[in-house]
Amino acid sequence: MRAQPEAGLLVQHGGGHTTALAACDADTWVRNAPGKYGKFAYSTAFGCSVSTGPLGAESAAPDSALLLSEDGLYWRSRIACASRSVTAERVHARWHPWPEVTVETWLLPAGPGRHVRVHRLVTPRPLHTVEGGFAVPLEGAATRAEGPGARAVCGDLASAVRDLTGARTGDIMLPDPNSHLLWPRTALPVLRCQLPSGEHWLAAEVHATAGSHAIADGGTTRAEPLDRRALPGLPRALRDTLPDPE
C-alpha cells in the first residue's frame, strides 16, 4: 500500500494485479477526461474504458465509475473535483456533476484485490444511478447478477461488485463495442438504482482478481466477509448503519 498524494493516488498490490485508487486530477478541457482520469480505480490487469458517445449508459462505459442521470438517457460522471485528499487509509474527493448536486466519494482499500467505495449524494431532484466494477472480456465470459451483487468471470479474470446498504440491485451491462482499451467487447458488473431528491449514502464492495489468484478463487470472486471495523477510513456516518458481515 502506498499513498501518492501529489498524483492523487493510493496504490495497492494484491489479487494478481496492482490497483490505483484515484482522487481524479483532471479538468473538463482534457479529452476523454472521465475515462482517463475520472475513474475511481485503475488496474494493471483489467484496463479501462472510455466513452463512445453522449447517449445511454452503455456508451458511457462506466467501469470503476458512478454515472448519474436526470432522464436515464444523458449521463454524467466524475471529471473535475472541487477538493481531494489522499492518505494511507483512504482517498477522498468532492465533485459536482451539476452545480447544485454534490457528491463526496471515499475509496478505501480492503485487502488483496478489494476496495470499498462510499458516496454521499445531495441532490435537489431525482437521479438515476449506475456504478460499475471492473470489466472483463465478453467472449467466453460467465456472468451472474443476483440481489445486491453481480459478477463476471473470463479466463483468469474475475470481477464482482456488491452493494453494502441494500439500496441498489446488481446487473450485467454490455458496454458499447470498442469502448475498452484492451478488448473489443466487455461484460461489466454494475449496481443500479433511482434516488429521490435529498441526501443519500451509497456503499459498495469491489473485488477483482487476476491470474492464479482468480483461478485459486474458483472464478467466483468469493472472499472473506467484509469487516467494516477493519476500514479506518470509513465515514463515521456509516459505521453503525452498515450490516454485519455475512
Side-chain angles (χ1 to χ4, degrees):
M1 190 73 60
R2 184 172 184 179
Q4 300 180 2
E6 295 82 4
L9 301 175
L10 179 55
V11 180
Q12 62 177 5
H13 307 283
H17 61 121
T18 297
T19 304
L21 304 180
C24 182
D25 185 18
D27 210 334
T28 54
W29 61 266
V30 179
R31 184 181 181 185
N32 292 322
K36 292 179 178 179
Y37 301 99
K39 305 283 189 182
F40 299 134
Y42 293 89
S43 164
T44 56
F46 291 86
C48 67
S49 303
V50 296
S51 174
T52 63
L55 301 179
E58 288 77 10
S59 69
D63 56 321
S64 296
L66 174 67
L67 294 183
L68 302 171
S69 173
E70 298 173 302
D71 58 6
L73 182 61
Y74 294 92
W75 296 83
R76 299 191 181 192
S77 62
R78 187 176 69 163
I79 302 177
C81 290
S83 64
R84 63 169 192 160
S85 63
V86 178
T87 71
E89 297 177 346
R90 56 101 182 111
V91 172
H92 175 263
R94 182 167 53 87
W95 46 289
H96 299 278
W98 292 269
E100 67 280 9
V101 176
T102 298
V103 183
E104 281 191 270
T105 294
W106 291 261
L107 307 173
L108 316 171
R114 303 171 80 185
H115 68 273
V116 169
R117 304 179 195 158
V118 175
H119 310 288
R120 174 181 172 268
L121 291 87
V122 180
T123 173
R125 56 187 177 275
L127 292 175
H128 301 257
T129 78
V130 178
E131 182 168 10
F134 288 102
V136 304
L138 177 60
E139 185 175 358
T143 64
R144 181 179 181 183
E146 184 177 6
R151 72 188 189 200
V153 180
C154 185
D156 62 354
L157 298 174
S159 171
V161 62
R162 181 170 64 96
D163 185 78
L164 298 178
T165 63
R168 298 177 287 181
T169 57
D171 193 13
I172 298 295
M173 176 187 287
L174 303 182
D176 278 1
N178 300 317
S179 58
H180 200 274
L181 299 185
L182 300 180
W183 309 300
R185 294 300 309 272
T186 57
L188 176 63
V190 300
L191 301 172
R192 298 179 183 269
C193 77
Q194 296 186 36
L195 300 175
S197 60
E199 179 185 23
H200 306 278
W201 286 87
L202 302 176
E205 175 191 3
V206 179
H207 188 205
T209 52
S212 60
H213 295 267
I215 296 171
D217 197 22
T220 64
T221 69
R222 184 66 179 175
E224 292 298 321
L226 178 69
D227 185 357
R228 64 178 183 273
R229 293 166 295 184
L231 300 174
L234 187 70
R236 183 170 299 176
L238 284 187
R239 287 193 177 274
D240 296 327
T241 59
L242 288 181
D244 291 330
E246 298 175 356

